[in-house]
Amino acid sequence: MLEIWGEGPGLVRRIVETGVAGPGRLPLKARTFGAGEITLEIVDKAAGGARRLNRLDGMGRFTKFLTRLLAREFPLHRPSGLTASPDLRRSLSSSYVRGVLKKGADSWALIAAPLEASAEVCDQMLTYGLLWLHDVRSRARDRHLAGLLLLLPEGRAGVTLQRIPWLDVAFAPCRVMEFDRNGAARSRDVHDAPPLELALPVCVAPPTPEGWVRECAEELARLPGVAWRARPDGLLSFDVGGLSFARVGVRTLTYGLESDQAATPKSVGRVFGLAEHLRRFRDVDPPDRAHPLYLHRPEAWLAQKVREAPHSLSASIVAESIYSGVPAIAGRDRGILDLLAMDVDGSLLVVELKATEDIHLPMQSLDYWIRVRTLAREGAFAAKGYFPGRTVSADAPRLIFAAPSLHYHPQTDLLVRALSKEISVERIGLGSDWRRRVSVEFRTPERFAGAAATETSEL
């Protein structure tokens, strides 16, 4: 018999079975007075189990908070099946509460982020909401599903509101609400979305190094495995496997992986020493495949291989007009665009590269696409010096995904299907030995990925 006392009501349960104990954890099966069975867990806070316990307890409190909020905002509806349990088979996260809001034969699939959710967790909620909508739709054959209801903490809906106009309304009709700590909620629409952050830096022509800097740059360029590229900020970057280890200006040379150190004619040997170190471990046949330098930033390595063979992605790419790491166009904490390229007809290509599975690939790429489209329509690329000597089309850019064939997340096609038909999407599967040579194993015709998602997602 287990008895627990505290400041509140006590707890008495008859233990009928113990589970498999883990570090700081002892699961128990108990019988209640009503002859039912429940599962308890004794957790040693000093052993690190408290974090998981506190998270589960926090989601439980949020579920109760959400139930009261829904009862107040939707008095004629009934929430059903509210849960934050992870579902790995359907790729549903435990960071959100999901369920169904029912009214007669009508219903909404709903997903909510807790009050303490970070901006990143809130921005990622649309991905999981679309997966949840599809799951509810596939099971609610006899019920009219109005769409997806997204509930976010106050001030956290901005990125979601920017994305929603570019979803296929037939696939994913969405309604967005924000709530505060008092449980007061209000509807938000796309007109409430914050302005896009479109700080595109000026593209500066590459420098012509002089003196000892020029001699050093020429010697670096001759080293096997070292590639150089012109950066939009007017520097030449020398890379090994996509990692920039040296930056060259007219009379300046800096080096380092995480920070810049100025080189001088006397210290230039350190630059070549760093290059040799990278060439050893950032190689297709390194002495240690578990070495951090081999595993670090695989997308940067893949970007370098694509820049070396751009026509493997598209025969119409203008090879000399490819920009890597264009900063700031994706707004707050969105990182940088992998590759921005141009077709021979002047239309832009947004190329997003992944070396490992990433369920957020479609939504993250949508963020880039929205901003590139806006900048192209405003003529910003030409005005800032990008694609010199060429006419940049104001038409919507094409969106290209490129990743090793076996490293696309299983839900990618379904999420592409949720995008607006106005967005041209092509998905390319690369060979697993892409570090050695970029080869295309499959290529979906534009928008075909979305059409094929129905069959894939039902399996």
Side-chain angles (χ1 to χ4, degrees):
M1 189 72 72
L2 175 67
E3 296 190 46
I4 301 174
W5 299 277
E7 295 181 358
L11 176 70
V12 180
R13 291 292 182 266
R14 182 180 298 279
I15 306 302
V16 297
E17 184 179 337
T18 61
V20 178
R25 297 174 52 250
L26 177 62
L28 304 170
K29 185 175 290 185
R31 190 175 303 280
T32 65
F33 292 115
E37 287 189 352
I38 61 172
T39 299
L40 304 175
E41 188 173 60
I42 298 177
V43 178
D44 180 2
K45 291 185 176 182
R51 180 178 299 179
R52 174 177 175 270
L53 187 67
N54 290 339
R55 188 191 66 79
L56 293 175
D57 183 50
M59 293 304 280
R61 291 195 300 271
F62 176 63
T63 300
K64 294 179 180 178
F65 171 88
L66 183 62
T67 300
R68 294 192 298 269
L69 184 154
L70 293 172
R72 183 165 54 251
E73 298 294 329
F74 301 93
L76 301 181
H77 290 72
R78 176 175 59 87
S80 173
L82 296 181
T83 180
S85 299
D87 188 332
L88 299 181
R89 187 170 70 87
R90 296 179 175 86
S91 303
L92 296 171
S93 172
S94 61
S95 298
Y96 316 94
V97 172
R98 61 187 186 275
V100 180
L101 195 60
K102 299 180 178 179
K103 177 186 175 184
D106 297 330
S107 62
W108 285 85
L110 73 89
I111 187 168
L115 282 162
E116 66 275 10
S118 66
E120 181 181 15
V121 168
C122 291
D123 293 350
Q124 293 175 348
M125 192 175 77
L126 182 59
T127 291
Y128 297 106
L130 293 171
L131 298 179
W132 176 236
L133 172 66
H134 172 74
D135 184 67
V136 173
R137 180 180 285 138
S138 66
R139 292 183 285 108
R141 304 290 185 184
D142 58 342
R143 183 177 295 276
H144 173 255
L145 189 61
L148 175 64
L149 175 61
L150 302 115
L151 296 111
L152 298 107
E154 191 173 29
R156 297 293 199 191
V159 171
T160 300
L161 293 170
Q162 289 172 347
R163 292 170 173 173
I164 283 178
W166 298 105
L167 299 181
D168 182 356
V169 68
F171 179 90
C174 295
R175 179 177 177 183
V176 178
M177 298 185 73
E178 286 187 340
F179 57 89
D180 61 22
R181 294 189 175 276
N182 298 319
R186 60 169 179 157
S187 293
R188 304 294 302 274
D189 62 30
V190 296
H191 300 293
D192 299 317
L196 293 173
E197 297 180 31
L198 301 171
L200 182 68
V202 174
C203 183
V204 181
T208 301
E210 298 177 357
W212 70 272
V213 174
R214 178 177 180 177
E215 294 175 3
C216 184
E218 290 175 346
E219 191 172 348
L220 285 173
R222 287 193 292 267
L223 292 177
V226 173
W228 66 271
R229 58 185 172 88
R231 302 197 329 182
D233 61 2
L235 296 178
L236 296 178
S237 176
F238 287 83
D239 308 348
V240 173
L243 293 184
S244 175
F245 69 91
R247 277 69 59 189
V248 172
V250 177
R251 299 183 184 88
T252 61
L253 170 59
T254 60
Y255 66 99
L257 296 179
E258 302 298 334
S259 60
D260 275 352
Q261 300 183 58
T264 66
K266 292 183 178 180
S267 65
V268 75
R270 298 176 183 176
V271 181
F272 287 91
L274 179 56
E276 290 299 327
H277 188 61
L278 285 173
R279 290 172 61 206
R280 182 183 178 202
F281 292 102
R282 196 82 166 171
D283 185 76
V284 293
D285 295 310
D288 180 9
R289 291 183 181 272
H291 194 280
L293 284 178
Y294 181 80
L295 301 174
H296 186 52
R297 293 188 61 200
E299 280 81 18
W301 197 340
L302 180 56
Q304 177 176 316
K305 300 301 293 185
V306 170
R307 286 195 304 268
E308 293 171 357
H311 294 132
S312 60
L313 294 190
S314 174
S316 59
I317 283 183
V318 179
E320 64 273 17
S321 296
I322 300 177
Y323 295 92
S324 295
V326 178
I329 65 170
R332 183 198 66 205
D333 299 330
R334 301 272 115 207
I336 56 178
L337 176 60
D338 287 334
L339 294 175
L340 178 64
M342 174 182 280
D343 249 339
V344 291
D345 64 358
S347 60
L348 296 179
L349 308 177
V350 176
V351 182
E352 187 67 6
L353 307 172
K354 291 295 177 186
T356 56
E357 281 190 10
D358 187 349
I359 194 172
H360 302 292
L361 170 62
M363 292 300 114
Q364 179 185 2
S365 302
L366 176 61
D367 291 338
Y368 298 140
W369 182 92
I370 292 171
R371 287 157 174 81
V372 171
R373 173 187 178 274
T374 304
L375 290 167
R377 291 171 67 91
E378 294 177 351
F381 289 109
K384 294 296 182 72
Y386 292 80
F387 308 103
R390 295 185 175 274
T391 301
V392 181
S393 172
D395 294 340
R398 289 165 52 200
L399 186 55
I400 296 178
F401 302 153
S405 298
L406 299 179
H407 289 278
Y408 275 104
H409 193 280
Q411 302 287 14
T412 298
D413 281 348
L414 175 62
L415 293 168
V416 170
R417 181 182 165 198
L419 298 179
S420 168
K421 296 299 187 294
E422 295 183 42
I423 304 176
S424 172
V425 183
E426 185 176 13
R427 188 164 67 89
I428 298 174
L430 305 176
S432 59
D433 198 21
W434 56 264
R435 287 178 175 86
R436 190 179 306 274
R437 183 177 66 89
V438 173
S439 60
V440 175
E441 293 191 344
F442 74 80
R443 183 190 304 272
T444 62
E446 295 179 22
R447 296 303 305 172
F448 183 79
T454 302
E455 178 181 354
T456 303
S457 60
E458 297 297 337
L459 297 180

